[in-house]
Protein backbone atom coordinates (compact mmCIF):
# COMPACT_ATOMS: atom_id res chain seq x y z
CA UNK A 1 0.00 0.00 0.00
CA UNK A 2 1.41 3.38 -1.02
CA UNK A 3 2.38 5.70 1.82
CA UNK A 4 0.80 9.13 1.30
CA UNK A 5 2.11 10.72 4.48
CA UNK A 6 3.63 14.19 4.24
CA UNK A 7 7.32 13.62 4.97
CA UNK A 8 8.45 17.21 5.42
CA UNK A 9 7.06 20.74 5.29
CA UNK A 10 7.23 22.35 1.84
CA UNK A 11 5.48 25.33 0.20
CA UNK A 12 2.19 24.51 -1.52
CA UNK A 13 2.88 24.18 -5.25
CA UNK A 14 0.96 26.60 -7.47
CA UNK A 15 -0.69 28.28 -4.46
CA UNK A 16 0.25 31.69 -3.00
CA UNK A 17 3.13 31.52 -0.55
CA UNK A 18 0.96 33.01 2.19
CA UNK A 19 -0.78 29.62 2.44
CA UNK A 20 2.42 28.03 3.72
CA UNK A 21 1.90 27.29 7.44
CA UNK A 22 2.97 30.15 9.79
CA UNK A 23 4.96 31.93 7.04
CA UNK A 24 2.86 35.11 6.97
CA UNK A 25 2.61 35.35 10.74
CA UNK A 26 6.34 34.75 11.09
CA UNK A 27 7.21 37.45 8.55
CA UNK A 28 4.82 39.94 10.17
CA UNK A 29 6.24 39.28 13.61
CA UNK A 30 9.83 39.44 12.34
CA UNK A 31 9.17 42.78 10.65
CA UNK A 32 7.52 44.22 13.76
CA UNK A 33 10.23 42.94 16.09
CA UNK A 34 13.10 44.10 13.88
CA UNK A 35 11.47 47.49 13.39
CA UNK A 36 10.89 47.95 17.12
CA UNK A 37 14.47 47.00 17.96
CA UNK A 38 15.76 49.34 15.24
CA UNK A 39 13.86 52.28 16.70
CA UNK A 40 14.89 51.44 20.28
CA UNK A 41 18.58 50.97 19.47
CA UNK A 42 18.52 54.06 17.26
CA UNK A 43 17.26 56.14 20.19
CA UNK A 44 20.02 54.72 22.37
CA UNK A 45 22.58 55.75 19.75
CA UNK A 46 21.18 59.29 19.86
CA UNK A 47 21.32 59.19 23.66
CA UNK A 48 24.96 58.10 23.52
CA UNK A 49 25.80 61.00 21.20
CA UNK A 50 24.00 63.47 23.47
CA UNK A 51 25.82 62.19 26.58
CA UNK A 52 29.17 62.36 24.77
CA UNK A 53 28.59 65.99 23.76
CA UNK A 54 27.11 67.16 27.06
CA UNK A 55 29.92 65.72 29.21
CA UNK A 56 29.72 64.90 32.90
CA UNK A 57 28.93 61.21 32.29
CA UNK A 58 32.41 59.89 31.67
CA UNK A 59 33.59 58.16 28.51
CA UNK A 60 32.40 54.58 29.08
CA UNK A 61 28.62 55.15 29.06
CA UNK A 62 28.38 57.07 25.76
CA UNK A 63 31.03 54.81 24.20
CA UNK A 64 29.08 51.69 25.17
CA UNK A 65 25.87 53.08 23.71
CA UNK A 66 27.54 54.12 20.47
CA UNK A 67 29.68 50.99 20.01
CA UNK A 68 27.04 48.42 20.96
CA UNK A 69 23.85 50.02 19.68
CA UNK A 70 24.97 51.43 16.30
CA UNK A 71 25.67 48.03 14.64
CA UNK A 72 22.50 46.64 16.24
CA UNK A 73 20.38 49.43 14.76
CA UNK A 74 21.94 48.94 11.32
CA UNK A 75 21.58 45.15 11.39
CA UNK A 76 17.94 45.06 12.50
CA UNK A 77 17.03 47.93 10.18
CA UNK A 78 18.47 46.03 7.23
CA UNK A 79 16.71 42.83 8.36
CA UNK A 80 13.36 44.61 8.42
CA UNK A 81 13.72 46.44 5.10
CA UNK A 82 15.58 43.90 2.95
CA UNK A 83 14.42 40.74 4.69
CA UNK A 84 11.04 40.03 6.27
CA UNK A 85 9.09 43.07 5.01
CA UNK A 86 10.45 42.65 1.47
CA UNK A 87 9.52 38.97 1.45
CA UNK A 88 6.08 39.77 2.89
CA UNK A 89 5.21 41.74 -0.26
CA UNK A 90 5.74 38.62 -2.39
CA UNK A 91 3.54 36.20 -0.46
CA UNK A 92 0.61 36.67 -2.84
CA UNK A 93 2.63 34.75 -5.46
CA UNK A 94 3.51 31.04 -5.40
CA UNK A 95 6.93 29.58 -4.74
CA UNK A 96 8.61 27.94 -7.72
CA UNK A 97 10.11 24.48 -7.33
CA UNK A 98 13.68 24.03 -8.58
CA UNK A 99 14.77 20.39 -8.44
CA UNK A 100 17.74 18.45 -9.72
CA UNK A 101 19.94 21.58 -9.72
CA UNK A 102 21.37 20.81 -13.16
CA UNK A 103 24.27 23.15 -13.83
CA UNK A 104 24.46 24.43 -10.24
CA UNK A 105 27.90 25.54 -9.04
CA UNK A 106 29.44 25.98 -5.61
CA UNK A 107 32.24 28.11 -4.20
CA UNK A 108 32.70 27.61 -0.47
CA UNK A 109 29.36 28.38 1.18
CA UNK A 110 27.89 30.05 -1.91
CA UNK A 111 25.79 28.11 -4.40
CA UNK A 112 24.97 29.52 -7.85
CA UNK A 113 21.82 28.09 -9.43
CA UNK A 114 20.96 28.85 -13.09
CA UNK A 115 17.54 30.44 -13.24
CA UNK A 116 15.87 32.06 -16.27
CA UNK A 117 19.14 32.91 -18.00
CA UNK A 118 20.73 34.37 -14.87
CA UNK A 119 22.09 33.00 -11.60
CA UNK A 120 20.55 32.90 -8.15
CA UNK A 121 23.47 33.06 -5.71
CA UNK A 122 22.78 31.73 -2.21
CA UNK A 123 25.00 31.77 0.84
CA UNK A 124 24.20 28.76 3.03
CA UNK A 125 25.36 27.55 6.44
CA UNK A 126 26.87 24.07 6.50
CA UNK A 127 23.68 22.15 7.48
CA UNK A 128 21.62 23.69 4.67
CA UNK A 129 24.50 23.23 2.22
CA UNK A 130 24.71 19.54 3.12
CA UNK A 131 20.94 19.11 2.79
CA UNK A 132 20.87 20.81 -0.61
CA UNK A 133 23.75 18.67 -1.88
CA UNK A 134 21.86 15.53 -0.87
CA UNK A 135 18.24 16.47 -1.62
CA UNK A 136 18.79 18.65 -4.73
CA UNK A 137 15.57 20.57 -4.16
CA UNK A 138 14.60 24.13 -3.22
CA UNK A 139 11.77 26.62 -3.69
CA UNK A 140 12.28 30.12 -5.08
CA UNK A 141 10.19 33.30 -4.89
CA UNK A 142 11.87 36.39 -6.32
CA UNK A 143 15.25 36.72 -4.61
CA UNK A 144 14.11 34.57 -1.71
CA UNK A 145 14.26 30.81 -1.31
CA UNK A 146 13.47 28.06 1.17
CA UNK A 147 14.68 24.48 1.42
CA UNK A 148 12.34 21.57 2.22
CA UNK A 149 11.62 21.46 5.93
CA UNK A 150 12.79 25.03 6.50
CA UNK A 151 10.11 27.62 7.17
CA UNK A 152 12.30 30.75 7.33
CA UNK A 153 12.99 32.26 3.86
CA UNK A 154 16.55 33.30 3.04
CA UNK A 155 17.55 36.10 0.69
CA UNK A 156 19.71 35.36 -2.33
CA UNK A 157 21.17 37.58 -5.05
CA UNK A 158 20.37 37.49 -8.77
CA UNK A 159 23.52 37.91 -10.87
CA UNK A 160 24.57 37.66 -14.49
CA UNK A 161 27.44 35.29 -13.66
CA UNK A 162 28.08 32.63 -11.02
CA UNK A 163 30.50 33.23 -8.18
CA UNK A 164 34.11 33.34 -9.39
CA UNK A 165 36.02 30.13 -8.74
CA UNK A 166 32.89 27.96 -8.59
CA UNK A 167 32.97 24.23 -9.34
CA UNK A 168 30.10 21.84 -10.16
CA UNK A 169 27.76 21.31 -7.22
CA UNK A 170 27.90 17.53 -7.03
CA UNK A 171 25.42 15.20 -5.37
CA UNK A 172 26.62 14.12 -1.93
CA UNK A 173 24.48 11.95 0.35
CA UNK A 174 24.30 12.94 3.98
CA UNK A 175 23.58 10.59 6.87
CA UNK A 176 21.37 11.71 9.78
CA UNK A 177 24.45 11.51 12.00
CA UNK A 178 26.47 13.86 9.81
CA UNK A 179 23.54 16.27 9.52
CA UNK A 180 23.14 16.32 13.29
CA UNK A 181 26.87 16.93 13.75
CA UNK A 182 26.84 19.91 11.35
CA UNK A 183 23.84 21.40 13.15
CA UNK A 184 25.53 21.04 16.52
CA UNK A 185 28.74 22.64 15.21
CA UNK A 186 26.77 25.58 13.79
CA UNK A 187 24.90 26.05 17.05
CA UNK A 188 28.21 25.87 18.92
CA UNK A 189 29.65 28.59 16.65
CA UNK A 190 26.65 30.82 17.43
CA UNK A 191 27.20 30.23 21.14
CA UNK A 192 30.87 31.20 20.84
CA UNK A 193 29.79 34.42 19.10
CA UNK A 194 27.47 34.96 22.05
CA UNK A 195 30.41 34.43 24.41
CA UNK A 196 32.39 37.18 22.66
CA UNK A 197 29.42 39.54 22.80
CA UNK A 198 28.90 38.87 26.52
CA UNK A 199 32.60 39.46 27.24
CA UNK A 200 32.49 42.76 25.38
CA UNK A 201 29.36 43.78 27.31
CA UNK A 202 31.04 42.70 30.56
CA UNK A 203 34.10 44.82 29.77
CA UNK A 204 31.91 47.85 29.12
CA UNK A 205 30.10 47.18 32.41
CA UNK A 206 33.32 47.18 34.44
CA UNK A 207 34.64 50.18 32.50
CA UNK A 208 31.45 52.11 33.25
CA UNK A 209 31.71 51.21 36.94
CA UNK A 210 35.28 52.53 37.10
CA UNK A 211 34.80 55.54 34.81
CA UNK A 212 31.48 57.06 35.91
CA UNK A 213 32.25 60.40 37.65
CA UNK A 214 29.52 60.20 40.30
CA UNK A 215 30.89 57.42 42.48
CA UNK A 216 27.81 57.28 44.74
CA UNK A 217 25.45 56.82 41.81
CA UNK A 218 23.36 53.69 41.33
CA UNK A 219 24.90 53.49 37.85
CA UNK A 220 28.25 52.46 39.36
CA UNK A 221 26.76 49.58 41.34
CA UNK A 222 24.45 48.46 38.54
CA UNK A 223 27.25 48.51 35.98
CA UNK A 224 29.44 46.35 38.24
CA UNK A 225 26.65 43.79 38.72
CA UNK A 226 25.99 43.85 34.98
CA UNK A 227 29.67 43.20 34.26
CA UNK A 228 29.85 40.21 36.62
CA UNK A 229 26.56 38.83 35.28
CA UNK A 230 27.74 38.98 31.68
CA UNK A 231 31.05 37.35 32.62
CA UNK A 232 29.29 34.46 34.37
CA UNK A 233 26.91 34.10 31.44
CA UNK A 234 29.86 33.97 29.03
CA UNK A 235 31.45 31.14 31.00
CA UNK A 236 28.21 29.15 31.03
CA UNK A 237 27.64 29.70 27.31
CA UNK A 238 31.21 28.66 26.53
CA UNK A 239 30.72 25.39 28.41
CA UNK A 240 27.57 24.64 26.43
CA UNK A 241 29.38 25.47 23.17
CA UNK A 242 32.20 23.06 24.00
CA UNK A 243 29.75 20.29 24.94
CA UNK A 244 28.03 20.66 21.56
CA UNK A 245 31.34 19.88 19.84
CA UNK A 246 31.49 16.39 21.36
CA UNK A 247 31.36 13.60 18.83
CA UNK A 248 28.19 11.55 19.14
CA UNK A 249 27.41 8.04 17.90
CA UNK A 250 25.07 7.60 14.94
CA UNK A 251 21.70 8.83 16.23
CA UNK A 252 18.78 6.51 16.83
CA UNK A 253 15.46 8.13 15.99
CA UNK A 254 12.08 7.31 17.48
CA UNK A 255 9.16 8.25 15.24
CA UNK A 256 5.91 9.32 16.93
CA UNK A 257 2.53 10.30 15.54
CA UNK A 258 1.28 13.64 16.84
CA UNK A 259 -2.25 15.05 16.85
CA UNK A 260 -1.96 18.83 17.05
CA UNK A 261 -3.48 22.09 16.00
CA UNK A 262 -1.71 24.41 13.54
CA UNK A 263 1.63 25.90 14.51
CA UNK A 264 1.49 29.48 15.77
CA UNK A 265 3.85 32.41 16.28
CA UNK A 266 3.98 33.94 19.76
CA UNK A 267 4.80 37.48 20.87
CA UNK A 268 8.55 36.81 20.75
CA UNK A 269 8.51 35.40 17.21
CA UNK A 270 8.89 31.80 18.35
CA UNK A 271 7.01 29.18 16.33
CA UNK A 272 5.23 26.79 18.68
CA UNK A 273 3.13 23.67 18.33
CA UNK A 274 1.17 21.79 21.01
CA UNK A 275 -0.41 18.38 20.63
CA UNK A 276 -0.69 14.86 21.98
CA UNK A 277 1.25 11.72 21.21
CA UNK A 278 1.58 8.12 22.40
CA UNK A 279 4.99 7.07 23.71
CA UNK A 280 6.46 3.66 22.79
CA UNK A 281 5.27 2.26 26.13
CA UNK A 282 1.66 3.14 25.29
CA UNK A 283 1.33 6.20 27.50
CA UNK A 284 -0.50 9.19 26.00
CA UNK A 285 1.12 12.54 26.84
CA UNK A 286 1.12 16.12 25.68
CA UNK A 287 4.02 17.37 23.56
CA UNK A 288 5.16 20.97 23.07
CA UNK A 289 7.66 22.13 20.45
CA UNK A 290 9.08 25.61 20.24
CA UNK A 291 12.68 26.64 20.67
CA UNK A 292 15.81 27.56 18.78
CA UNK A 293 14.58 26.20 15.43
CA UNK A 294 11.24 27.64 14.23
CA UNK A 295 11.03 24.97 11.53
CA UNK A 296 10.64 22.10 14.01
CA UNK A 297 7.20 23.09 15.28
CA UNK A 298 6.02 23.93 11.75
CA UNK A 299 7.10 20.48 10.49
CA UNK A 300 5.33 18.68 13.34
CA UNK A 301 2.08 20.56 12.66
CA UNK A 302 2.30 20.04 8.88
CA UNK A 303 3.26 16.35 8.88
CA UNK A 304 1.73 15.02 12.09
CA UNK A 305 5.04 13.26 12.77
CA UNK A 306 7.77 13.77 15.34
CA UNK A 307 11.25 12.21 15.30
CA UNK A 308 12.99 12.18 18.68
CA UNK A 309 16.61 11.34 19.39
CA UNK A 310 16.76 8.27 21.60
CA UNK A 311 13.89 7.04 23.77
CA UNK A 312 11.28 9.69 24.69
CA UNK A 313 10.03 9.78 28.29
CA UNK A 314 7.07 11.46 29.97
CA UNK A 315 7.89 14.68 31.78
CA UNK A 316 11.24 15.05 29.99
CA UNK A 317 12.68 17.34 27.34
CA UNK A 318 14.15 15.65 24.28
CA UNK A 319 15.97 16.72 21.13
CA UNK A 320 13.98 16.26 17.95
CA UNK A 321 14.23 16.97 14.24
CA UNK A 322 13.61 15.55 10.79
CA UNK A 323 16.22 12.92 9.79
CA UNK A 324 18.27 14.07 6.83
CA UNK A 325 17.01 17.66 6.97
CA UNK A 326 18.40 20.76 8.66
CA UNK A 327 15.70 20.79 11.32
CA UNK A 328 16.65 20.33 14.96
CA UNK A 329 15.35 21.59 18.29
CA UNK A 330 13.87 20.71 21.70
CA UNK A 331 10.45 19.22 22.48
CA UNK A 332 8.91 18.78 25.91
CA UNK A 333 6.69 15.84 26.90
CA UNK A 334 4.07 16.22 29.59
CA UNK A 335 3.20 13.76 32.29
Amino acid sequence: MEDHRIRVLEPPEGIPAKNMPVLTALLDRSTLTAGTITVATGLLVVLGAVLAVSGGYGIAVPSALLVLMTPSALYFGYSALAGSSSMRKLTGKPFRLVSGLDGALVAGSRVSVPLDGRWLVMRLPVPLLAQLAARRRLWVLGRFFVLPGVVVPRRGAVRDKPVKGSVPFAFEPVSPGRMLATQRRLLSAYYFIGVVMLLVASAFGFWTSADYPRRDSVVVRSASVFGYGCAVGAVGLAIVAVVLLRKLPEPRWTELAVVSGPASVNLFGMVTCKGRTVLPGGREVTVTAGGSDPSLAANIAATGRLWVLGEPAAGKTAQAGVPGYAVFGPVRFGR
Side-chain angles (χ1 to χ4, degrees):
M1 183 176 180
E2 187 177 356
D3 188 352
H4 293 285
R5 293 183 303 171
I6 300 174
R7 293 293 182 178
V8 69
L9 171 68
E10 293 192 79
E13 191 166 8
I15 299 176
K18 60 185 176 183
N19 289 0
M20 184 177 178
V22 308
L23 177 62
T24 300
L26 183 61
L27 292 173
D28 289 343
R29 171 51 58 184
S30 298
T31 301
L32 178 60
T33 300
T36 301
I37 295 176
T38 300
V39 173
T41 52
L43 292 175
L44 290 175
V45 171
V46 173
L47 176 61
V50 171
L51 294 180
V53 172
S54 62
Y57 297 94
I59 300 175
V61 172
S63 296
L65 292 175
L66 292 172
V67 171
L68 297 178
M69 296 299 110
T70 300
S72 297
L74 294 175
Y75 172 78
F76 285 103
Y78 177 80
S79 297
L81 294 176
S84 51
S85 62
S86 192
M87 173 64 194
R88 181 66 175 85
K89 297 175 183 178
L90 299 175
T91 55
K93 301 177 181 179
F95 276 99
R96 171 184 174 184
L97 175 62
V98 179
S99 59
L101 301 187
D102 294 335
L105 304 172
V106 62
S109 63
R110 291 179 293 177
V111 179
S112 302
V113 177
L115 201 64
D116 301 328
R118 303 187 72 188
W119 296 85
L120 176 65
V121 179
M122 309 172 290
R123 186 183 295 274
L124 298 172
V126 175
L128 291 180
L129 190 63
Q131 176 183 320
L132 188 61
R135 303 289 176 177
R136 319 293 292 180
R137 185 180 177 93
L138 74 154
W139 298 81
V140 177
L141 180 57
R143 295 175 180 266
F144 296 88
F145 64 94
V146 295
L147 270 63
V150 181
V151 72
V152 181
R154 303 180 71 90
R155 182 184 176 91
V158 178
R159 299 181 179 178
D160 294 327
K161 297 180 179 180
V163 176
K164 187 177 180 179
S166 295
V167 298
F169 187 47
F171 167 76
E172 184 178 355
V174 58
S175 68
R178 180 187 164 202
M179 178 63 74
L180 179 59
T182 61
Q183 290 172 306
R184 288 168 62 89
R185 284 198 298 269
L186 180 64
L187 189 57
S188 177
Y190 288 153
Y191 281 173
F192 278 123
I193 294 174
V195 169
V196 174
M197 295 174 64
L198 285 174
L199 290 176
V200 171
S202 176
F204 271 114
F206 289 129
W207 185 20
T208 299
S209 178
D211 175 73
Y212 200 73
R214 303 171 189 175
R215 304 308 302 166
D216 58 343
S217 172
V218 68
V219 173
V220 175
R221 296 189 295 273
S222 299
S224 181
V225 172
F226 176 79
Y228 281 112
C230 288
V232 172
V235 172
L237 206 58
I239 293 173
V240 176
V242 171
V243 170
L244 285 171
L245 292 176
R246 291 185 308 167
K247 187 176 181 179
L248 298 178
E250 187 69 21
R252 182 174 62 84
W253 295 91
T254 300
E255 183 181 1
L256 302 173
V258 177
V259 178
S260 72
S264 61
V265 182
N266 64 17
L267 182 64
F268 304 102
M270 183 183 295
V271 180
T272 59
C273 174
K274 297 182 179 180
R276 301 192 67 84
T277 188
V278 178
L279 299 179
R283 183 173 181 177
E284 182 177 344
V285 297
T286 60
V287 60
T288 304
S292 55
D293 189 346
S295 298
L296 176 62
N299 273 275
I300 294 172
T303 65
R305 317 301 299 179
L306 167 63
W307 286 267
V308 179
L309 282 174
E311 190 74 19
K316 301 290 185 179
T317 297
Q319 297 300 318
V322 180
Y325 292 86
V327 180
F328 184 70
V331 294
R332 186 174 68 255
F333 294 101
R335 296 185 180 278

